[in-house]
Amino acid sequence: MKTNSRMQDCWEALNFVFCVEFWRMAVFWPFALVSSYWQLFSRAFFSGISHSYPRCSPSPTPTSISGTNTTTRPLCIITGATSGLGAASAHALSREGFYVVLVGRSSHLLSKIVEEIKKQDADAHLKAFQIDLSCFQSIINFKNELEQWLSDSNMHSSVQVLINNAGIFATSCRFTNEGYDQMMGTNYIGAFSLTNLLLPLLRSSPVPSRIINVTSFTHQCVSGTRVDEETLAGKYFSRSKQYPCAHIYEYSKFCLLLFSYELHRQLYLKDGSCKVSIFAVDPGVVETNIMREVPSCLSQLAFMVLRLLGLLQSPEKGVESIVDATLAPPESSGEYFFGGRGRTAKSSELSYDRELARKLWTSSYNLFMKSQLVSKYTS
């Protein structure tokens, strides 16, 4: 049985090596990563200027219980909190004094992370919700359950931090209940939908609130892209003979980045302030299980090479940029955090295309409204 299993693993690895997507990941992704680090190095070495922001203590949230004015911990929602960066973020931000709401697909893994944090800090304030970000109805249910929980807990009906961290890397074509490509549905459409549904709670925060979108250096590999509804849903990619997993992953992270900048512009222009700040975060390469669908021998080989080059980080190290963005001054809204130590960088030139961002917003919002109509109809 073990011999057959090894043979199957070797055969899967061989097939993957001979596909275009493997070489795209093997060549373009390391180049994009190194260019990001080179940007940080060249800024500091040649110009002597380091674009970084200090960390500020989180502001307590006023509330009223039995007529007595009190304060409570700011509320931070983290998606994809069952492992990797999401779990590391929950650990780190709980220590920083946040009331952490963990969101993930597995109730068992959520309970495990909550238990681990409680062991390290008995005073940690935690709440877990099971949610599938690739399913719009699941997102709606979470929003309703969250509002009910806030009301029952006598907490202020608001959210101070939303971290859109959930993401997958799929090597085969799968579709969500709404008919979207699962990778696009989880990595981008789910984050867009959740953000829009929770925006009223972020706006109603008595202290400045923020949205943090966890993107990737792989967005630099995207060029001359389409942002129509068909492409966002993944139907355009499904025409390929071979599932373009690397392309779709890059595209989903690029859309999340483009969405971040557009939302920053919309909120800043409408409010005339930074009441709701928007940040994009690139944690670099972190050793998580996101590549679990890639043949294990190849993913382990890639991790070994990156570790030797000093480019592979543990989740506890990779989470630094997320914490930087969570604690950055509100006026730094619209920045792209990368490299830890409060440092920021410039994303790809295409990601600053305002016209493309407006088109993306229109297409994304149309899909969002269609999902809402379907949800109401089925309800």
Side-chain angles (χ1 to χ4, degrees):
M1 289 291 291
K2 287 185 178 179
T3 304
N4 291 338
S5 179
R6 287 199 201 97
M7 287 289 290
Q8 186 177 356
D9 290 344
C10 290
W11 181 249
E12 289 177 358
L14 192 62
N15 283 336
F16 197 72
V17 165
F18 281 104
C19 75
V20 175
E21 299 304 301
F22 169 79
W23 292 104
R24 186 176 184 88
M25 294 163 61
V27 177
F28 292 159
W29 289 14
F31 180 80
L33 178 64
V34 171
S35 68
S36 295
Y37 279 110
W38 172 251
Q39 184 185 149
L40 293 183
F41 172 78
S42 59
R43 276 185 177 181
F45 187 79
F46 296 112
S47 64
I49 300 174
S50 177
H51 293 258
S52 61
Y53 291 93
R55 291 183 178 182
C56 306
S57 300
S59 303
T61 308
T63 188
S64 178
I65 302 175
S66 301
T68 304
N69 291 326
T70 61
T71 58
T72 186
R73 297 182 177 212
L75 192 71
C76 173
I77 299 173
I78 305 172
T79 67
T82 54
S83 64
L85 280 171
S89 298
H91 278 271
L93 295 177
S94 176
R95 290 194 296 268
E96 292 290 342
F98 285 91
Y99 199 131
V100 177
V101 174
L102 298 88
V103 173
R105 286 186 294 179
S106 169
S107 57
H108 170 70
L109 291 177
L110 286 171
S111 299
K112 183 180 176 182
I113 299 301
V114 168
E115 186 179 343
E116 288 176 359
I117 297 174
K118 283 286 189 179
K119 281 183 180 178
Q120 295 181 9
D121 180 11
D123 294 327
H125 288 56
L126 307 164
K127 177 67 176 178
F129 289 92
Q130 185 179 11
I131 172 179
D132 181 359
L133 274 177
S134 68
C135 174
F136 187 79
Q137 188 58 53
S138 181
I139 299 173
I140 288 280
N141 293 342
F142 165 66
K143 182 235 181 189
N144 294 335
E145 290 171 9
L146 176 68
E147 290 179 328
Q148 186 63 53
W149 171 68
L150 289 172
S151 176
D152 294 343
S153 304
N154 290 319
M155 296 172 66
H156 193 277
S157 184
S158 64
V159 172
Q160 282 65 60
V161 181
L162 169 62
I163 301 178
N164 288 312
N165 164 76
I168 63 170
F169 181 84
T171 57
S172 59
C173 184
R174 299 188 293 270
F175 293 98
T176 67
N177 294 337
E178 288 79 24
Y180 305 146
D181 174 85
Q182 191 176 34
M183 191 150 41
M184 283 301 301
T186 303
N187 296 4
Y188 174 64
I189 299 173
F192 182 92
S193 301
L194 181 64
T195 300
N196 277 277
L197 287 172
L198 296 186
L199 200 52
L201 292 176
L202 288 151
R203 285 179 180 273
S204 64
S205 173
V207 297
S209 58
R210 63 190 61 204
I211 298 165
I212 297 164
N213 291 326
V214 181
T215 181
S216 167
F217 59 89
T218 60
H219 81 272
Q220 298 178 50
C221 302
V222 175
S223 60
T225 189
R226 299 169 44 156
V227 289
D228 54 273
E229 293 177 39
E230 186 183 37
T231 308
L232 291 182
K235 295 175 183 177
Y236 172 77
F237 295 109
S238 65
R239 296 171 186 169
S240 302
K241 290 182 179 180
Q242 193 172 51
Y243 185 64
C245 54
H247 282 81
I248 296 177
Y249 183 80
E250 298 161 5
Y251 180 71
S252 67
K253 291 299 183 178
F254 173 78
C255 287
L256 192 60
L257 180 57
L258 205 61
F259 160 58
S260 303
Y261 292 152
E262 177 61 18
L263 186 58
H264 161 72
R265 286 188 288 264
Q266 288 192 17
L267 293 178
Y268 183 80
L269 291 173
K270 288 180 180 179
D271 295 343
S273 65
C274 290
K275 183 172 174 59
V276 182
S277 305
I278 315 297
F279 301 97
V281 170
D282 176 2
V285 178
V286 182
E287 190 171 6
T288 67
N289 64 354
I290 194 171
M291 291 292 176
R292 58 184 173 272
E293 294 190 26
V294 174
S296 59
C297 59
L298 296 179
S299 59
Q300 291 304 314
L301 176 62
F303 283 152
M304 184 180 69
V305 172
L306 290 167
R307 192 180 293 111
L308 289 172
L309 294 174
L311 297 175
L312 183 66
Q313 307 171 90
S314 66
E316 292 71 28
K317 179 68 176 176
V319 79
E320 284 190 8
S321 292
I322 295 177
V323 179
D324 288 341
T326 306
L327 300 177
E331 58 271 18
S332 58
S333 178
E335 290 284 7
Y336 178 81
F337 280 81
F338 174 76
R341 290 183 284 172
R343 290 179 293 181
T344 62
K346 288 290 184 183
S347 52
S348 68
E349 186 177 346
L350 187 63
S351 67
Y352 295 105
D353 188 323
R354 294 194 175 201
E355 183 60 29
L356 189 64
R358 282 191 288 268
K359 289 179 180 177
L360 173 69
W361 179 275
T362 301
S363 299
S364 303
Y365 199 76
N366 287 342
L367 292 176
F368 173 69
M369 293 304 294
K370 288 177 182 178
S371 296
Q372 279 196 313
L373 288 174
V374 171
S375 177
K376 288 179 181 178
Y377 178 76
T378 54
S379 295

